[in-house]
Amino acid sequence: MSKNKYYNIITYGCQMNEHDSERLAGMLEEMGYQHTEEYKNADIILLNTCIIRENAELKVYGKLGELKRYKRENPDLIIGIGGCMMQQDAPVDEVYKKYRHVDLIFGTHNIHHLPDLIRKIEETRDRVVEVWDEEEGLIPDLPSQRESEYSAWISIIQGCDNFCTYCIVPYVRGRERSRPIASIVNEAERLAEDGVKEITLLGQNVNSFGNDLDKDITFPKLLEELNKVEKLKRIRFMTSHPRDFSDALLDKIKNLNKVANHIHLPVQSGSNKVLKEMNRGYTREYYIERVKNIQEEIPGASVSTDFIVGFPGESEEDFQKTIDLVKELKFDMAYTFIYSPRSGTPAARRDDQIDDDVKKERLNRLMELQNKISYDKNQKLIGTTQEILVTGPSNNDPEVYEGRTSTNKICFIDMREDLVGEIVKIKVESAKSWTLEGKIIEE
Ligand code: 5AD
Ligand code: SF4
């Protein structure tokens, strides 16, 4: 009998990458590999990389260094590296030349070729580099080894055409390509049959869904179709580009019962000058009106956002505009990032880069303000009734269970194994900046 073979996948970056890793895992499982937590037991270790900010890249090089000793102990170990970093020439050269223990380099457009690439290495023991510049349409539907039994990601559109001047994504993920609506609905139906209660639709800009398909196929239309999938309970989606966030979409979020009341709408900056230089395609005034509109139309809906501080040329006055916007709109949550120059993007070429100290100081001010707002907003929820999808034990304490509200807030409850995978009503009893605690309301 042949020996069991094991894999481990190390993932960096966004949900898109996490979902790609689920698909890499799905292919490895089909090849007969089993998952292991221990690098020392693995026959294959894959790194799925991210290039959005410099610190993501540094972590990858650190990890590659760490993996060297496992290769030394087990020369048959296959180490592969894929993901966004490998869609750029410089990191591929660096890895190929300096990390000789890496056997396989692949890109974001050819993840479906993983089994062939691995077989080639197994047969020849040669190092293999296969990165495609041009995607051949969509990555085909692939088996997924899901992390969660009750929640699943569904990729609906790949790539990005926006070319925000700071962002590397359009260069590494290619042009926007929507997946056919039938194949998405089909996947949602299969997942629902399999016990999945909540799906999250993924795309760099989900609002562009359908632009490259038939005229009447749009993102709101997709939501309408998915809302009909009987056993599904909740539909989430990310990310929305503010410029393309339409009234038709707002209407669907409001009126389709399964679509969650949470909108992630990255604003990046509150200054019109910076927004223009970022090529975001909207003004501060437009954005404020959009969010107020959401808050009025769907009372109780949560809005989260992303900010970049220290974009080239950002003055203290520009930054104050961001602070004012945060105070005015009171986001439920915000992801705050220090601007990181990405080679090949227009903003990285500018000679008015901001000092690191200034960037860090601005980040701290912004985070402090947002923490306080998130805390105050959550405090206001004490005493309210919310519906949470119970997902199981919390990471820190197996006796405490957790779930998420429709507004995407984590909520802790007492252990109740029988409720895992169910949507239950809870009463919020206490709240912190990022989490709630609740008691189940018995029906
Ligand atoms: N530096 C810092 N943050 C960035 N983001 C994208 N590119 C950069 C960059 N070069 C942030 C944006 C985006 C999020 C996913 O990452 O806020 O919305
Ligand atoms: Fe990057 Fe802008 Fe596309 Fe988002 S919309 S992935 S920030 S280029």
Side-chain angles (χ1 to χ4, degrees), residues 25-222:
M27 287 183 278
L28 290 171
E29 300 251 342
E30 282 204 336
M31 291 175 80
Y33 285 87
Q34 295 168 38
H35 178 257
T36 175
E37 289 289 339
E38 306 280 344
Y39 299 155
K40 67 173 169 24
N41 297 337
D43 299 279
I44 289 193
I45 300 177
L46 297 181
L47 277 80
N48 191 3
T49 63
C50 170
I51 195 174
I52 196 128
R53 283 170 290 273
E54 190 188 11
N55 54 6
E57 275 189 87
L58 296 178
K59 279 191 214 154
V60 169
Y61 289 120
K63 185 57 84 176
L64 281 179
E66 181 194 331
L67 293 179
K68 199 166 178 177
R69 75 179 172 93
Y70 296 96
K71 182 79 168 186
R72 216 179 293 128
E73 280 160 22
N74 171 16
D76 290 336
L77 168 66
I78 295 178
I79 297 180
I81 175 166
C84 294
M85 232 172 112
M86 295 300 107
Q87 284 301 138
Q88 296 268 289
D89 293 342
V92 168
D93 280 355
E94 172 95 3
V95 171
Y96 192 77
K97 290 195 188 118
K98 297 210 184 131
Y99 297 85
R100 309 285 310 169
H101 56 295
V102 171
D103 304 279
L104 167 64
I105 296 177
F106 60 106
T108 57
H109 302 307
N110 62 335
I111 61 169
H112 52 297
H113 278 204
L114 182 74
D116 286 344
L117 300 175
I118 289 176
R119 268 182 231 113
K120 202 157 143 191
I121 296 170
E122 282 171 342
E123 277 162 24
T124 64
R125 297 312 302 183
D126 286 343
R127 300 177 84 195
V128 170
V129 181
E130 192 181 305
V131 179
W132 296 357
D133 283 343
E134 284 295 319
E135 60 280 3
E136 284 182 3
L138 284 165
I139 294 168
D141 295 355
L142 294 171
S144 267
Q145 187 61 29
R146 280 199 321 275
E147 290 259 321
S148 153
E149 226 175 301
Y150 306 103
S151 301
W153 287 306
I154 299 187
S155 161
I156 65 163
I157 175 166
Q158 290 166 22
C160 182
D161 289 353
N162 285 312
F163 290 95
C164 300
T165 56
Y166 50 81
C167 188
I168 192 83
V169 168
Y171 306 89
V172 294
R173 288 276 177 177
R175 299 288 63 72
E176 285 173 357
R177 289 143 293 149
S178 305
R179 197 169 150 195
I181 198 160
S183 124
I184 299 170
V185 174
N186 208 299
E187 181 171 359
E189 280 167 351
R190 265 190 295 117
L191 289 167
E193 282 305 319
D194 212 24
V196 165
K197 301 286 164 60
E198 171 184 86
I199 54 170
T200 304
L201 309 175
L202 291 180
Q204 250 78 35
N205 180 10
V206 291
N207 312 101
S208 295
F209 172 78
N211 286 355
D212 53 337
L213 302 175
D214 280 356
K215 178 161 104 308
D216 55 340
I217 295 186
T218 60
F219 184 56
K221 166 94 180 139
L222 174 66

Side-chain angles (χ1 to χ4, degrees), residues 234 236 260-263 300-303 332 381 386-387 404-410 436:
R234 250 187 210 165
R236 300 187 181 282
N261 284 344
H262 167 235
I263 296 141
S302 69
V303 179
D332 290 85
L381 295 176
Q386 305 280 333
E387 288 191 340
R404 276 182 195 260
T405 62
S406 169
T407 51
N408 205 31
K409 300 194 188 229
I410 295 173
L436 308 173

Side-chain angles (χ1 to χ4, degrees), residues 234 236 261 299-302 332 377-390 403-413 422-431 436-443:
R234 250 187 210 165
R236 300 187 181 282
N261 284 344
S302 69
D332 290 85
K377 287 203 95 165
N378 283 350
Q379 287 293 310
K380 291 209 177 96
L381 295 176
I382 295 177
T384 62
T385 302
Q386 305 280 333
E387 288 191 340
I388 66 164
L389 170 63
V390 183
R404 276 182 195 260
T405 62
S406 169
T407 51
N408 205 31
K409 300 194 188 229
I410 295 173
C411 180
F412 298 122
I413 54 169
E422 301 291 328
I423 292 197
V424 295
K425 282 206 172 79
I426 58 110
K427 187 164 179 194
V428 181
E429 301 218 305
S430 68
L436 308 173
E437 262 178 57
K439 270 252 159 332
I440 294 157
I441 301 175
E442 301 293 345
E443 299 282 294

